[in-house]
Amino acid sequence: MEHRYDHVAIEQKWQARWDADKTFRVVNPGDEGFDPSRPKQYILDMFPYPSGEGLHVGHPIGYIGSDIFSRYMRMKGANVLHPMGFDSFGLPAEQFAVETGVHPRVTTESNIANYVRQLKAIGLSYDWDREFATTDPDYYRWTQWIFIRLFEAWLDPDAGAARPIAQLIASLEAGEREVDGTPWSDLNEMDRRAHIDGLRLAYLDEVMVNWCPALGTVLANEEVTREGRSDRGDHLVFQRPLRQWMLRITAYSDRLAEDLDLVEWPESVKAMQRNWIGRSEGSRIDFPVAGSDARIEVFTTRPDTVFGATYMVLAPEHPLVESLIADTWPDGTKEAWAGGGSDPSEAVSAYRAEAARKSELERQTEVKDKTGVFTGSFCVNPVNDRLIPIFVADYVLMGYGTGAIMAVPGQDERDWEFAEKFGLPIVRTVQPEEGFEGNAYLGDGPAINSGFLDGLGVVEAKAKTIEWLEAEGFGAATVSYKLRDWLFSRQRYWGEPIPILHGPDGEMRAVSDTDLPLLLPEVDNYRPASMDDEDADPAPMLFNAPDDWKYVEIDGERWERELNTMPQWAGSCWYYLRFTDPGNDEYLAGSEAEQYWMGERGVDLYIGGVEHAVLHLLYARFWHKVLFDLGHVSTAEPFGRLFNQGYILADAFQDGRGVYVPAEKVEMVGDTFMYEGEEVVRSSGKMGKSKMNSVNPDEFFVDHGVDTLRLYEMFMGPLGDSKPWTTRDVVGIERFLQRLWRNYVDPDSGELLITDEPPDEELRKLLHRTIKSVTADMLDLRFNTSVARFFELNNALVALDAVPREIADAFVRLLSPMAPHVAEELWERMGGQGSVCFAEWPEFDEALAAEETVTMVVQVGGKIRDRIEVPIDISEDAARRAALGSEKVAAHLAGEPTRVIVRPPNLVNIVP
RNA sequence: GCCCGGGUGGCGAAAUCGGUAGACGCGGCGGACUUAAAAUCCGCUGUCCCCUCGUUGGGGCGUGCAGGUUCAAAUCCUGCCCCGGGCACCA
């Protein structure tokens, strides 16, 4: 048995050859060997953060899927761009540096080397010549360059698109634009600068941030859990105001939502993005404050209910609160409204202090119990001139709308609760449906108690109210979004330095493009100043940089470098562009390469985890649209087709204390699971280090093989579903590959068992059905059913002494995207030219793929009573006659049928 | 609470146009080969019932639950239950 299937030898041989031959290198337009007659396919995986743990078998399932598709597309004749790189800035390497003093660059480099080794061991067909990491200065140079473009751009409302700030200044100087009615020439230098800085897409702002002392950085809202802890590490997070870099993603809210229509993405991901953007149409309404010139501006989606507004609420942080505090409680102030305060000032101050103290978690848990306090002031409801009291309550959020609402308890459940608790009037302004028994009524119905709106339905009443508000100067139709601007600074070391200089008088200037990359300075230690002291002020790590880095002399003045770094999301916002032209040192990506690879629909297939449904994909789309507006890229959207692979789950086991124990060492004894003599409890979850249920790929490849892993992971079920890993099931794939080998190669002599005799008709038909089925599965990434078809074809070859070449040849081609190593080996042994990776994909003959006969089902009253083999093209008449002629059918028929439904060639249903 | 997915044999799953439910694989059972075992090969395997045990013997039931539409429903509709994911006082 010298020549039996030796997966280790075969897999190592072909991986070495692909590496040496650069088999999967793909050239750009203009390069030698480029073939413009071929269509392009850009097939991309979401690149990984190279963690110290390396890969387990659950990680690469998406990579295997995209690899199969890439290999298929090459065989279909496409120029395939299929690259891989590393998202290598980030916290773990830096935290390791804090603990050990090892430079994050060192950790990162060794982790990347390990990842590359592991990825190559899976036989993934990347063009490794295009590999880069986001931490490479040649790469982050352009990340910084894009930041400068954001800094130097604003959203021109006339164009509905980003334009260079320089154009804005030119039109201001030319008098084509003014600053809030003031000509540019009338403004001093400081005001001009403030105006411009306030319009930039990258701007500084004093905002409430999530400050995490343990990590020594602020975090974006998305990086904070609902419990008010850091997403990474689960550390406490505190709210505090801080001057931070922000990116004006909200300027793109509508385009980010609307352009989802242009892409082929899972509807669920589109829905998540639309939800996140949270567009809602409504109206701004101004409520004049009684006895004052001030007005409180509210946002409402229900302007039609304005007659039912019986009180107002401001968020505790609302800037107008201070000015609304009355000196004394007015007559009629209920005890509950005062919150125990002897005067409004005391009551409101106490309430605001309490609200500021509350953590996110407390606010969450107290949702059902509304709190608030009366300011002592009143508004005038503009539609009916009624005086309504103004409250401060934390159920109104400063971050949404205007931070103030008109409260309409009759049509809003939250307002109803508050009104009941505080004894405020409740007026219904929409007539509820007959039989309605709830509190607030949110449905449609005729307006009541609403003056000029009475009798109108909700839609008409909204329109009429807005018309009235606009005519009377009390408001206008408007749109509100949940999406907030993107908090872009971090106080960490291991990130891209933000390339901005601060002048002595507060002037900001971007680092010149020619001075990029702005390299990270070397520092002595990586420990943030604030890490051990929760009360210490947030200080960027780069504060530790040497002075000759921190300060720059320009025209005799000392400018300070920005000390914040970018968040990890930055590098992944545009890496797909760099892959089109990774070596370019003059531009982020050459136009010709960018236009070719990104042409039409951008990335043709982007595979990654659904956990990036919102953040990464929204941020990347935002940057892409800015670059598009500024003419640096050629498509409106970066990712034409998105696919989310599922996760690989695995049994995990916990001991009596709830601690996970190594799953591979758990033994089943009867119905119970034992680990080191102790009974453990089984659960299931995502494979990973924390659950101690990972399967190591290096060992798996030795024991079972790479092709086995690839086929098994594809065979487990649909690529998009999460499914449990079962090592026991792997044997089915191993048997398949061994059987395949024995069909082609005599295990004793090593002789090829291929004959030039043609196959019999049945086998040929089976082949063509297989080609048809596998080809159809490719485009939909339904590889699980393809593997089933391979089993069927393979099993049909077992009984033969030799496999007809016609079958053997096509089968190897079909198999090669999924099991490329064994396919290469068999291809070579059969005398195939070159690599099977570039062999033509087999075509099927429709006539051969079609069945000649089919089993027709005959039903009586919907129950199957007979099955008859009939020609596939049987006529309706013949089918009817065959069915009615069946003895078995006759036995179930008492008399003449009332009706006969004939659907040739599949079915006849006789209704008795 | 709202918005998405999803519930099919002992297990992973097929069936994506409303027309044979359970392809393919695992596991299980039986057989061949072998001194034996492994490997390999062959057969059976949703479930219950019946018989004159048949190389397509006959029948009932069956795709989370309860209804409905239809000649016909895993597939369409209504209500409900359960599981997973996202959002969550968003005015």
Side-chain angles (χ1 to χ4, degrees):
Chain A
M1 300 286 268
E2 285 290 294
H3 301 273
R4 63 167 180 256
Y5 175 51
D6 181 349
H7 62 263
V8 172
I10 291 171
E11 286 163 1
Q12 286 179 355
K13 167 182 167 184
W14 288 100
Q15 285 173 11
R17 189 168 304 180
W18 294 331
D19 221 27
D21 293 354
K22 293 186 186 291
T23 305
F24 305 111
R25 196 171 79 93
V26 63
V27 294
N28 276 355
D31 289 346
E32 195 188 331
F34 177 75
D35 181 353
S37 69
R38 293 170 180 268
K40 72 93 184 181
Q41 278 285 320
Y42 185 176
I43 300 157
L44 182 65
D45 293 302
M46 290 186 187
F47 67 165
Y49 174 81
S51 78
E53 283 109 55
L55 296 167
H56 60 65
V57 296
H59 285 123
I61 187 165
Y63 302 159
I64 294 170
S66 67
D67 188 61
I68 292 166
F69 193 70
S70 299
R71 288 172 178 272
Y72 166 71
M73 280 298 170
R74 283 188 201 103
M75 295 176 77
K76 291 294 281 185
N79 289 323
V80 174
L81 175 57
H82 187 47
M84 180 47 93
F86 300 95
D87 188 16
S88 44
F89 276 123
L91 280 175
E94 183 169 354
Q95 279 172 324
F96 187 71
V98 170
E99 288 160 23
T100 63
V102 176
H103 196 290
R105 189 191 309 113
V106 174
T107 316
T108 302
E109 278 169 7
S110 80
N111 289 352
I112 287 176
N114 187 43
Y115 261 64
V116 170
R117 179 188 65 79
Q118 287 195 306
L119 291 168
K120 285 185 175 177
I122 302 166
L124 302 171
S125 63
Y126 297 122
D127 175 357
W128 286 107
D129 282 3
R130 293 178 187 252
E131 177 205 345
F132 61 79
T134 54
T135 45
D136 295 344
D138 285 347
Y139 179 80
Y140 76 71
R141 168 187 180 182
W142 296 103
T143 311
Q144 292 171 327
W145 182 90
I146 294 169
F147 180 87
I148 294 170
R149 303 286 83 72
L150 287 155
F151 177 75
E152 299 282 13
W154 72 304
L155 194 96
D156 181 349
D158 298 336
R163 291 291 179 257
I165 286 280
Q167 279 182 17
L168 169 65
I169 293 173
S171 71
L172 286 162
E173 284 171 347
E176 292 158 15
R177 291 179 192 273
E178 295 186 333
V179 177
D180 301 327
T182 310
W184 186 248
S185 52
D186 291 359
L187 293 176
N188 65 31
E189 184 61 25
M190 290 296 266
D191 289 342
R192 287 178 178 180
R193 199 190 293 156
H195 178 69
I196 294 296
D197 288 347
L199 290 173
R200 297 178 188 275
L201 294 182
Y203 63 98
L204 275 172
D205 197 14
E206 179 95 2
V207 289
M208 286 301 279
V209 298
N210 306 294
W211 165 240
C212 181
L215 294 176
T217 186
V218 302
L219 298 168
N221 288 334
E222 305 84 67
E223 294 169 314
V224 178
T225 64
R226 199 185 314 168
E227 289 76 32
R229 305 184 79 95
S230 64
D231 196 35
R232 271 185 187 273
D234 203 36
H235 303 293
L236 276 171
V237 170
F238 301 90
Q239 300 285 307
R240 67 159 74 197
L242 207 60
R243 197 164 158 78
Q244 295 287 292
W245 281 100
M246 305 291 291
L247 298 189
R248 205 178 298 279
I249 190 172
T250 53
Y252 283 78
S253 300
D254 277 334
R255 282 167 65 189
L256 287 169
E258 285 163 10
D259 286 358
L260 289 171
D261 294 338
L262 305 178
V263 293
E264 185 186 344
W265 285 19
E267 280 308 315
S268 57
V269 174
K270 291 188 184 187
M272 277 191 248
Q273 293 220 343
R274 289 198 184 97
N275 267 332
W276 194 265
I277 294 164
R279 180 193 160 93
S280 64
E281 291 182 15
S283 173
R284 194 195 83 224
I285 305 182
D286 295 339
F287 283 73
V289 176
S292 153
D293 292 339
R295 287 178 161 205
I296 293 173
E297 191 181 307
V298 306
F299 172 77
T300 178
T301 54
R302 293 294 302 275
D304 59 302
T305 64
V306 62
F307 282 90
T310 54
Y311 64 102
M312 306 287 290
V313 184
L314 272 58
E317 306 85 3
H318 197 287
L320 277 181
V321 169
E322 206 62 43
S323 65
L324 291 170
I325 298 171
D327 294 335
T328 56
W329 294 120
D331 290 346
T333 300
K334 296 184 181 176
E335 203 183 322
W337 298 9
S342 59
D343 60 51
S345 175
E346 186 186 321
V348 172
S349 302
Y351 186 77
R352 295 179 86 186
E354 180 68 9
R357 195 197 56 77
K358 270 192 207 172
S359 71
E360 283 295 311
L361 183 61
E362 285 172 301
R363 274 199 172 194
Q364 298 289 343
T365 51
E366 290 167 11
V367 160
K368 279 295 145 207
D369 188 28
K370 295 275 180 294
T371 60
V373 68
F374 181 39
T375 60
S377 297
F378 294 85
C379 270
V380 180
N381 187 334
V383 288
N384 57 16
D385 291 333
R386 296 226 176 107
L387 282 183
I388 57 176
I390 305 169
F391 283 75
V392 174
D394 67 2
Y395 83 92
V396 172
L397 310 174
M398 193 59 226
Y400 182 75
T402 62
I405 61 156
M406 63 173 197
V408 188
Q411 276 80 229
D412 184 286
E413 277 167 13
R414 298 152 301 184
D415 296 344
W416 181 289
E417 272 174 43
F418 191 88
E420 277 210 316
K421 179 167 175 186
F422 289 89
L424 289 154
I426 297 171
V427 179
R428 285 200 194 278
T429 61
V430 178
Q431 180 65 52
E433 282 175 342
E434 192 99 8
F436 176 74
E437 282 175 7
N439 297 329
Y441 178 69
L442 309 179
D444 200 358
I448 53 172
N449 304 318
S450 291
F452 60 85
L453 300 175
D454 279 350
L456 296 177
V458 169
V459 174
E460 298 78 33
K462 278 184 186 175
K464 189 154 183 184
T465 308
I466 289 167
E467 205 177 292
W468 186 92
L469 291 168
E470 287 178 348
E472 301 292 323
F474 284 107
T478 181
V479 176
S480 192
Y481 302 89
K482 282 199 255 184
L483 184 68
R484 323 271 176 88
D485 277 342
W486 175 10
L487 174 67
F488 197 68
S489 19
R490 298 292 183 276
Q491 287 72 46
R492 300 308 305 243
Y493 174 76
W494 196 228
E496 301 88 345
I498 292 179
I500 295 290
L501 294 162
H502 299 272
D505 64 348
E507 185 183 349
M508 288 187 292
R509 177 186 289 196
V511 171
S512 155
D513 288 351
T514 54
D515 289 341
L516 298 178
L518 170 58
L519 296 173
L520 269 170
E522 299 300 318
V523 295
D524 297 339
N525 84 80
Y526 306 91
R527 178 168 289 266
S530 47
M531 210 166 193
D532 307 310
D533 177 6
E534 288 189 356
D535 296 324
D537 277 333
M541 260 299 298
L542 293 184
F543 192 79
N544 294 341
D547 284 357
D548 64 359
W549 189 89
K550 285 201 292 190
Y551 304 108
V552 179
E553 187 95 353
I554 301 176
D555 299 332
E557 288 184 314
R558 191 168 87 153
W559 289 61
E560 293 178 22
R561 279 202 197 282
E562 172 66 43
L563 298 178
N564 284 292
T565 49
M566 300 188 199
Q568 194 180 353
W569 307 106
S572 59
C573 270
W574 74 282
Y575 72 111
Y576 58 93
L577 293 171
R578 189 64 179 172
F579 278 134
T580 66
D581 195 11
N584 198 314
D585 55 8
E586 287 168 5
Y587 199 23
L588 76 168
S591 298
E592 198 183 357
E594 185 275 326
Q595 281 171 24
Y596 179 71
W597 291 116
M598 293 294 291
E600 301 279 317
R601 63 200 307 239
V603 173
D604 296 278
L605 178 63
Y606 191 29
I607 297 191
V610 72
E611 70 271 21
H612 295 115
V614 178
L615 302 180
H616 159 60
L617 288 169
L618 201 62
Y619 293 154
R621 293 178 63 221
F622 163 51
W623 278 35
H624 192 88
K625 286 185 182 302
V626 175
L627 293 171
F628 176 69
D629 287 352
L630 298 176
H632 300 297
V633 300
S634 54
T635 61
E637 283 287 329
F639 312 117
R641 181 183 179 195
L642 174 72
F643 188 92
N644 299 123
Q645 88 277 2
Y647 297 108
I648 291 190
L649 312 174
D651 283 345
F653 300 90
Q654 286 162 285
D655 65 17
R657 294 165 299 159
V659 176
Y660 285 100
V661 303
E664 58 196 305
K665 293 191 184 142
V666 172
E667 290 179 345
M668 199 171 176
V669 181
D671 282 344
T672 61
F673 297 95
M674 306 295 287
Y675 171 70
E676 293 183 344
E678 192 193 346
E679 187 171 343
V680 290
V681 180
R682 180 171 65 162
S683 60
S684 181
K686 218 167 128 178
M687 191 179 275
K689 197 187 180 189
S690 61
K691 286 193 170 10
M692 305 274 279
N693 61 353
S694 297
V695 174
N696 179 306
D698 299 331
E699 290 168 25
F700 189 95
F701 295 156
V702 172
D703 295 344
H704 310 283
V706 179
D707 284 335
T708 299
L709 179 83
R710 295 173 58 111
L711 285 169
Y712 174 61
E713 294 205 353
M714 294 305 104
F715 184 60
M716 288 167 82
L719 190 58
D721 289 3
S722 290
K723 50 236 162 216
W725 175 275
T726 316
T727 299
R728 191 183 69 188
D729 291 356
V730 168
V731 70
I733 302 291
E734 290 184 286
R735 284 178 192 153
F736 163 75
L737 285 172
Q738 281 158 1
R739 196 174 297 176
L740 174 83
W741 185 261
R742 286 196 308 269
N743 283 335
Y744 279 71
V745 179
D746 185 300
D748 294 313
S749 66
E751 220 175 305
L752 207 55
L753 303 174
I754 304 294
T755 169
D756 288 321
E757 293 292 308
D760 70 32
E761 205 56 15
E762 268 315 298
L763 186 57
R764 180 178 280 149
K765 288 162 80 60
L766 176 61
L767 173 70
H768 282 258
R769 284 204 302 277
T770 306
I771 299 172
K772 183 178 180 180
S773 175
V774 172
T775 304
D777 289 344
M778 279 291 165
L779 287 175
D780 299 332
L781 311 177
R782 295 188 329 195
F783 306 126
N784 52 328
T785 46
S786 293
V787 179
R789 299 292 87 80
F790 292 150
F791 277 114
E792 287 170 334
L793 182 55
N794 198 37
N795 290 344
L797 305 182
V798 169
L800 305 179
D801 295 326
V803 182
R805 184 172 294 279
E806 181 183 327
I807 307 292
D809 177 275
F811 192 12
V812 166
R813 294 174 198 244
L814 288 177
L815 196 59
S816 68
M818 293 196 215
H821 307 85
V822 70
E824 286 275 36
E825 182 66 23
L826 293 174
W827 180 255
E828 185 182 61
R829 286 177 185 236
M830 285 194 303
Q833 293 302 300
S835 166
V836 71
C837 300
F838 294 94
E840 234 176 278
W841 185 254
E843 297 288 329
F844 62 91
D845 181 333
E846 189 66 67
L848 284 168
E851 299 276 0
E852 273 165 12
T853 66
V854 65
T855 309
M856 184 175 78
V857 168
V858 186
Q859 298 178 327
V860 177
K863 289 195 192 303
I864 295 161
R865 298 303 178 188
D866 200 4
R867 295 165 209 262
I868 307 171
E869 280 298 309
V870 298
I872 190 124
D873 56 354
I874 189 170
S875 70
E876 192 171 324
D877 248 20
R880 179 193 311 266
R881 266 183 279 116
L884 291 173
S886 159
E887 283 175 32
K888 289 175 184 167
V889 167
H892 290 273
L893 264 180
E896 279 301 298
T898 54
R899 198 177 156 194
V900 181
I901 288 109
V902 186
R903 291 284 177 277
N906 295 312
L907 171 138
V908 174
N909 189 5
I910 300 162
V911 187

